[in-house]
Amino acid sequence: MRSVCRILAVLSIVWFISIAPQLQASEPAGGEVHAAAEEHGEAHGEAHGEGHGITHNMMFLALQLGVILIAAKLMGEFTERVVKMPAVLGELAAGLIIGPYALGGLAIPGLGDALFPASAAASEVVPVSEVIYGVSTFASIVLLFLAGLETDFRQFMRYAGPGGLVGLGGVLGAFVTGDVVTVLFGQALGYEGWTFMSGVPLFMGTISVATSVGITARVLSEKGSLDTPEGVTILAGAVIDDVLGIIVLAMVVAMHKAGDSGEVDWGNIGIIAAKAFGIWLVATAVMIVAAGPLKRFFGILKGDGVVPGVALGIALILSGIMESFGLAMIIGAYVCGLGFAKEKELAHRLDRLVRPMYNLVVPVFFCVMGMLVNFEAMGAALTFGLIFSGIAVVSKVVGCGLPTFLVGFNMKGALRIGFGMLPRGEVALIVAGIGLSSGIIGQDMFGVSILMTLITTVLAPPILVKLFDGMPGRRGEVAPDEPVREVIYRTAEMPRFRREVLLSSVIAALQTRDDVAVSQVVVGQDIYLVSLSDPEFDFEVVEAGETIEVHASEADREQAQVVMRRAVDEVRASFDHLGEPEEE
């Protein structure tokens, strides 16, 4: 309850900040407002068009990226340490605050314009420049590439079937309820002519189908739960969901273009469906087969940054190919990472090498997603938007959760998967933009889509954090006995700054090993789980009071000491007061 209150408080502050540009713009009266807006658009066209050279545009880009990075990282830090929630929520909130519909839309003295003017948008739907949106797209590719690397390949193959059921259930549940609710409440709003086969209800159902796996992947990664049965089922289900969503979108757009004639080109829709499934299956098979040869090829590369550069290049190419066939680019990135995950040692190595870039650019993606939210458009249909959003939450959770009971999950597992499939994110915004630009929906329904996207995106992360509590998610399983770990290593007491530097140095030293994976056990707390793949064992590195301790079970004690001694030896020169292993 306390967490919910904190989130509501943050959203209230964000909402108040968002009306600042409107308050500033309310000073001129009547037609002067429209005239001022037109003059602003013309001035901006001169400021960012051909009137200035590339140096000026790059200066503006540097300012924008600098503000996005600072706002996203600081808000993420605040959310983790103070609110005790995943950093992704803070990054989304940062986007809401600095976006073109909030503080970013205010003119800055000396700059000649707002930092994020909506008039500089790449389109009517995306209220940021093409370059900024491009950077965020690259960040989303990095995010899903690492999500693929962190996926347990055997687990994924085992739960591909359940994932397909989850994706199918989510699509059917969300599409049908979205269509029906729009028809029922559309009549209350005065749209008497709407039927279940009308363009607007069909498209609102299509928007409700969307799933943004990036947000869920970020939360599960921070919780170290990407390779759990629920985690891999969510990822597999999201891929199926996206493929089916593309097919549904193609059908609805085709029906709209057919108009009153009712002559829908079902043959073309069938071709689109076959092509979507085919390219996904082929790409997955190619990456799985190529993982072994690529591992050997990467083994002969010695230059700094060559291996992660080539691996990311492959992910980008595959993402572009997916987009050219009508699928989301992030599916190509995930398929690429999943293929590499087949080779555990290679996956650990790539994860370690790409992680610094992940930490740098991924917050940009979530911040930009927050910047896309138009508060004015949401307010135009607020009541219906809240109702539609509430039903969209229930339909997705139930639609994705119910099929899991058929494949061995219990209630806890069903809820984890249902809420994991909940965020609509950028996928819903893209689909809504297609509907707006093609004339299927108007600004009122577009505002409803934005509100639904915001609510589902913000609601899912804190709930997922609570649901992934270590309890079993499958029937017949019992809560795993936590290994009895004892202190096998403890440093001397030291000031906080030196303690933090030492801890980060030791963790960094551990991450340089290709056979080691390090994950933070609790968001916002310095407790790290260190897992080795050969041989398989794990131990914890914990900040305990004014010392740093290593906890391991009796069976893993000797191996954990060897690993820790090696890591400590690499940083010992900087610290002259490290403790020795505790005696039994």
Side-chain angles (χ1 to χ4, degrees), residues 273-309:
K275 187 167 64 174
F277 273 109
I279 189 63
W280 166 55
L281 290 174
V282 169
T284 303
V286 168
M287 282 306 306
I288 291 173
V289 172
L294 283 172
K295 176 185 177 181
R296 292 189 292 271
F297 173 66
F298 288 156
I300 65 176
L301 301 177
K302 302 300 181 183
D304 290 341
V306 176
V307 170

Side-chain angles (χ1 to χ4, degrees), residues 75-100:
M75 282 295 290
E77 176 84 0
F78 172 80
T79 306
E80 272 194 339
R81 290 190 174 272
V82 179
V83 187
K84 303 299 182 184
M85 288 291 172
V88 60
L89 284 179
E91 292 156 7
L92 286 168
L96 295 172
I97 294 170
I98 69 171

Side-chain angles (χ1 to χ4, degrees), residues 289-566:
V289 172
L294 283 172
K295 176 185 177 181
R296 292 189 292 271
F297 173 66
F298 288 156
I300 65 176
L301 301 177
K302 302 300 181 183
D304 290 341
V306 176
V307 170
V310 173
L312 268 178
I314 295 173
L316 287 166
I317 291 173
L318 194 55
S319 299
I321 292 174
M322 286 292 188
E323 183 70 26
S324 70
F325 280 92
L327 291 172
M329 282 192 284
I330 56 177
I331 288 200
Y334 179 74
V335 166
C336 184
L338 180 65
F340 287 133
K342 180 173 176 284
E343 302 290 337
K344 272 193 172 184
E345 185 177 337
L346 175 62
H348 280 309
R349 182 184 181 192
L350 289 175
D351 184 284
R352 173 175 55 83
L353 294 172
V354 178
R355 182 67 58 177
M357 179 178 291
Y358 171 97
N359 292 331
L360 180 67
V361 302
V362 168
V364 174
F365 166 68
F366 291 106
C367 188
V368 171
M369 289 303 100
M371 294 171 69
L372 301 184
V373 177
N374 185 337
F375 295 93
E376 187 175 356
M378 283 195 305
L382 184 59
T383 302
F384 174 61
L386 291 173
I387 295 172
F388 186 85
S389 300
I391 294 176
V393 170
V394 175
S395 66
K396 200 71 167 181
V397 173
V398 174
C400 293
L402 278 180
T404 64
F405 290 109
L406 301 176
V407 289
F409 287 95
N410 58 23
M411 178 61 74
K412 174 77 77 170
L415 288 174
R416 288 169 178 168
I417 293 170
F419 279 100
M421 296 287 288
L422 178 60
R424 273 28 177 225
E426 79 289 350
V427 179
L429 293 175
I430 293 170
V431 175
I434 293 172
L436 184 64
S437 61
S438 61
I440 301 177
I441 61 174
Q443 283 289 346
D444 52 352
M445 292 298 110
F446 183 67
V448 170
S449 305
I450 293 174
L451 182 59
M452 183 268 292
T453 300
L454 177 63
I455 290 176
T456 57
T457 299
V458 171
L459 186 63
I463 294 178
L464 284 172
V465 170
K466 298 295 184 183
L467 286 174
F468 279 89
D469 55 1
M471 298 299 293
R474 292 182 58 80
R475 290 194 300 272
E477 293 182 356
V478 296
D481 292 331
E482 287 293 325
V484 179
R485 294 190 175 101
E486 57 185 21
V487 178
I488 66 166
Y489 192 97
R490 179 187 288 125
T491 67
E493 294 184 357
M494 62 187 76
R496 178 180 177 182
F497 174 75
R498 293 176 66 85
R499 192 168 64 248
E500 290 180 348
V501 173
L502 172 60
L503 180 61
S504 62
S505 300
V506 170
I507 294 299
L510 289 168
Q511 289 174 328
T512 60
R513 295 184 51 164
D514 293 336
D515 60 340
V516 171
V518 181
S519 59
Q520 193 170 14
V521 177
V522 182
V523 175
Q525 297 183 25
D526 289 322
I527 304 176
Y528 296 89
L529 180 67
V530 182
S531 304
L532 281 82
S533 57
D534 187 22
E536 290 191 4
F537 71 95
D538 55 51
F539 58 91
E540 289 182 344
V541 181
V542 181
E543 183 178 1
E546 297 183 351
T547 68
I548 297 172
E549 297 179 348
V550 178
H551 300 168
S553 65
E554 183 62 32
D556 298 332
R557 179 188 185 96
E558 185 174 342
Q559 296 178 96
Q561 284 180 330
V562 171
V563 173
M564 278 302 299
R565 284 185 184 280
R566 177 179 171 182

Side-chain angles (χ1 to χ4, degrees), residues 77-356:
E77 176 84 0
F78 172 80
T79 306
E80 272 194 339
R81 290 190 174 272
V82 179
V83 187
K84 303 299 182 184
M85 288 291 172
V88 60
L89 284 179
E91 292 156 7
L92 286 168
L96 295 172
I97 294 170
I98 69 171
Y101 301 112
L103 297 183
L106 298 175
I108 299 177
L111 191 61
D113 203 347
L115 186 59
F116 297 104
S119 55
S123 68
E124 292 182 357
V125 179
V126 181
V128 294
S129 69
E130 290 182 354
V131 178
I132 293 295
Y133 194 73
V135 173
S136 75
T137 300
F138 171 74
S140 70
I141 290 172
V142 174
L143 169 64
L144 268 296
F145 177 62
L146 248 71
L149 287 177
E150 293 179 359
T151 301
D152 186 310
F153 181 79
R154 291 182 181 178
Q155 285 269 63
F156 182 89
M157 297 306 295
R158 178 183 175 186
Y159 290 100
L165 282 177
V166 167
L168 181 61
V171 168
L172 290 176
F175 179 78
V176 171
T177 54
D179 182 292
V180 171
V181 169
T182 304
V183 171
L184 295 179
F185 284 90
Q187 295 175 356
L189 294 172
Y191 297 99
E192 298 293 341
W194 283 355
T195 66
F196 299 120
M197 296 300 290
S198 297
V200 173
L202 284 174
F203 207 86
M204 294 304 291
T206 304
I207 293 171
S208 187
V209 163
T211 293
S212 175
V213 71
I215 293 167
T216 297
R218 175 72 178 278
V219 175
L220 295 185
S221 178
E222 291 182 354
K223 291 285 292 181
S225 302
L226 270 175
D227 61 349
T228 60
E230 295 91 334
V232 293
T233 301
I234 290 169
L235 293 171
V239 172
I240 299 295
D241 184 285
D242 191 83
V243 174
L244 293 176
I246 293 296
I247 296 170
V248 172
L249 177 62
M251 292 173 61
V252 172
V253 172
M255 293 172 68
H256 174 72
K257 289 181 178 178
D260 296 331
S261 66
E263 298 177 0
V264 179
D265 189 351
W266 293 106
N268 184 54
I269 292 175
I271 292 173
I272 292 173
K275 187 167 64 174
F277 273 109
I279 189 63
W280 166 55
L281 290 174
V282 169
T284 303
V286 168
M287 282 306 306
I288 291 173
V289 172
L294 283 172
K295 176 185 177 181
R296 292 189 292 271
F297 173 66
F298 288 156
I300 65 176
L301 301 177
K302 302 300 181 183
D304 290 341
V306 176
V307 170
V310 173
L312 268 178
I314 295 173
L316 287 166
I317 291 173
L318 194 55
S319 299
I321 292 174
M322 286 292 188
E323 183 70 26
S324 70
F325 280 92
L327 291 172
M329 282 192 284
I330 56 177
I331 288 200
Y334 179 74
V335 166
C336 184
L338 180 65
F340 287 133
K342 180 173 176 284
E343 302 290 337
K344 272 193 172 184
E345 185 177 337
L346 175 62
H348 280 309
R349 182 184 181 192
L350 289 175
D351 184 284
R352 173 175 55 83
L353 294 172
V354 178
R355 182 67 58 177

Side-chain angles (χ1 to χ4, degrees), residues 50-70:
E50 298 178 357
H52 287 283
I54 190 171
T55 302
H56 177 272
N57 293 335
M58 291 304 99
M59 175 272 293
F60 213 81
L61 174 63
L63 292 175
Q64 290 177 324
L65 284 176
V67 170
I68 289 174
L69 272 173
I70 293 172

